[in-house]
């Protein structure tokens, strides 16, 4: 059982409207964190249930997470100031499986808030191709950070106001017609996850998907966040918080 940690907020910014970039001092979490794992955060006095937010980056004792304000919980979280202590449990869940001996041509694809756990992942991979999708130019984030840790980073916007005009999945599909790829990692909205799952199946490429599901306890007890899988050939309900959030695309039913 993970302990709650009171973590001091040491850095806070709002890189684009409604999206907050927080760095907390959390040595115990930093020591264990794997790419794709998440934090379960008590967002404030008015919100009883914790909210899951992915680990974006780790440097020494510092843990970074980035979140978009969606409702009451993330709005309260955004109101913390530098110097405040935030109650966090983590790292939780089962992150991305990385094997740089096996996979020499990894591709990473993220959409919207799904890009945040992919930064730490990209740092660990061998020269990944990174494809990022956003609604429009004013929502584009972290492009330079991904560029610094990838062989190539491409950006798509749904409205064509920046980079490729269209969906990130189309851009990945085009790239894979010309480049080798032996594994795809994805995090983002369900339509993107489904499209990536189909592309990987069609090309018979290993693929890992990080699911976003509403959660209760975050530690596998309450069963709020189950998803359907065909684990080891059997129909099975799995808990996104405990067995995931990362699943093998061949096993998860979206
Ligand atoms: C493993 C995991 C990692 C996540 N990592 C991040 C992250 O790094 N950055 C980030 O911005 N968000 C992340 N999320 C989503 C984040 O947890 C939700 O946006 C947040 O819980 C919303 O809480 P709220 O109280 O602000 O909004 P609520 O009032 O609870 O909901 C507001 C809106 O958000 C939707 N929503 C709530 N929870 C989720 C969810 N889990 N998935 C999709 N939609 C949801 C609701 O349907 C509603 O439309 C992650 C979710 C999971 C499961």
């Amino acid at each position: 059982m993970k302990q709650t940690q009171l973590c001091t907020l040491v850095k806070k910014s709002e890189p684009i409207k409604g999206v907050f970039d927080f760095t907390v001092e959390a040595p115990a979490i930093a020591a264990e964190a794997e790419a794709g794992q998440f934090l379960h955060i008590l967002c404030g006095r008015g919100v009883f249930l914790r909210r899951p937010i992915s680990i974006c980056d780790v440097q020494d004792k510092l843990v970074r997470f980035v979140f978009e304000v969606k409702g009451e919980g993330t709005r309260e979280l955004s109101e913390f100031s530098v110097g405040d202590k935030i109650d966090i449990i983590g790292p939780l869940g089962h992150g991305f499986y990385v094997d740089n001996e096996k996979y020499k041509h990894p591709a990473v694809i993220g959409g919207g808030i799904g890009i945040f756990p992919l930064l730490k992942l990209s740092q660990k991979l061998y020269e990944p191709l990174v494809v990022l999708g956003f609604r429009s130019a004013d929502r584009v984030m972290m492009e330079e950070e991904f560029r610094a840790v990838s062989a190539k980073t491409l950006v798509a916007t749904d409205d064509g106001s920046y980079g490729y005009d269209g969906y990130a999945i189309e851009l990945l599909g085009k790239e894979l017609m010309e480049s080798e790829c032996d594994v795809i990692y994805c995090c983002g909205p369900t339509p993107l996850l489904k499209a990536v799952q189909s592309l990987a199946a069609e090309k018979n490429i290993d693929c890992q998907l990080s699911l976003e599901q509403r959660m209760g306890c975050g530690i596998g007890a309450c069963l709020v966040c189950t998803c359907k899988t065909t684990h080891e050939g059997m129909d099975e309900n799995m808990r996104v918080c405990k067995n995931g959030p990362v699943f093998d695309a061949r096993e998860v039913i979206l």
Side-chain angles (χ1 to χ4, degrees):
M1 171 69 187
K2 303 268 175 191
Q3 300 297 310
T4 63
Q5 324 260 330
L6 278 180
C7 306
T8 306
L9 180 61
V10 294
K11 205 166 152 205
K12 171 184 179 180
S13 66
E14 188 178 359
I16 59 173
K17 194 166 167 41
V19 174
F20 289 82
D21 191 333
F22 276 20
T23 300
V24 292
E25 205 170 80
I29 295 173
E32 283 182 40
E34 302 279 348
Q37 288 189 298
F38 67 93
L39 308 169
H40 218 203
I41 305 179
L42 201 58
C43 293
R45 286 165 194 271
V47 187
F48 173 68
L49 284 177
R50 291 171 183 271
R51 299 294 192 262
I53 302 289
S54 304
I55 294 167
C56 174
D57 200 2
V58 173
Q59 300 287 339
D60 300 323
K61 296 172 180 174
L62 303 178
V63 176
R64 176 182 175 201
F65 55 94
V66 186
F67 62 94
E68 182 166 23
V69 173
K70 284 273 175 69
E72 191 57 19
T74 44
R75 189 188 55 70
E76 283 213 22
L77 185 61
S78 73
E79 288 166 5
F80 279 97
S81 303
V82 168
D84 288 347
K85 291 197 185 302
I86 308 178
D87 185 326
I88 299 177
I89 302 178
L92 295 178
H94 172 85
F96 292 105
Y97 170 67
V98 173
D99 185 340
N100 287 333
E101 288 298 311
K102 183 175 177 188
Y103 301 122
K104 297 289 184 202
H105 304 284
V108 172
I109 176 166
I113 60 170
I115 70 165
F116 304 136
L118 302 178
L119 183 66
K120 183 164 167 58
L121 171 70
S122 301
Q123 291 164 354
K124 300 208 121 195
L125 295 174
Y126 177 74
E127 298 187 352
L129 161 69
V130 173
V131 180
L132 307 174
F134 302 94
R135 284 199 304 270
S136 52
D138 59 340
R139 307 308 292 169
V140 174
M141 281 188 70
M142 294 167 58
E143 182 185 358
E144 288 314 312
E145 288 184 83
F146 276 100
R147 207 173 289 292
V149 296
S150 64
K152 190 174 180 182
T153 291
L154 301 169
V155 175
T157 50
D158 301 353
D159 68 356
S161 50
Y162 185 80
Y164 174 80
D165 181 357
Y167 293 128
I169 183 65
E170 298 162 9
L171 191 49
L172 179 64
K174 283 180 196 286
E175 276 299 303
L176 296 196
M177 286 199 270
E178 291 157 16
S179 335
E180 270 186 82
C181 175
D182 47 22
V183 63
I184 307 176
Y185 298 91
C186 178
C187 184
T190 306
L192 175 64
L193 296 175
K194 280 187 179 172
V196 169
Q197 187 183 39
S198 305
L199 181 71
E202 183 193 312
K203 294 194 171 283
N204 197 22
I205 297 172
D206 286 353
C207 178
Q208 296 173 39
L209 305 173
S210 183
L211 271 51
E212 272 187 22
Q213 194 87 290
R214 300 212 75 164
M215 281 182 189
C217 71
I219 52 168
C222 75
L223 305 181
V224 159
C225 64
T226 53
C227 67
K228 289 197 185 310
T229 69
T230 53
H231 185 60
E232 292 173 354
M234 309 279 283
D235 285 351
E236 208 177 318
N237 283 328
M238 293 260 200
R239 295 156 296 177
V240 172
C241 68
K242 183 93 178 165
N243 308 108
V246 178
F247 290 92
D248 184 326
R250 291 191 178 95
E251 293 187 350
V252 73
I253 301 167
L254 295 169

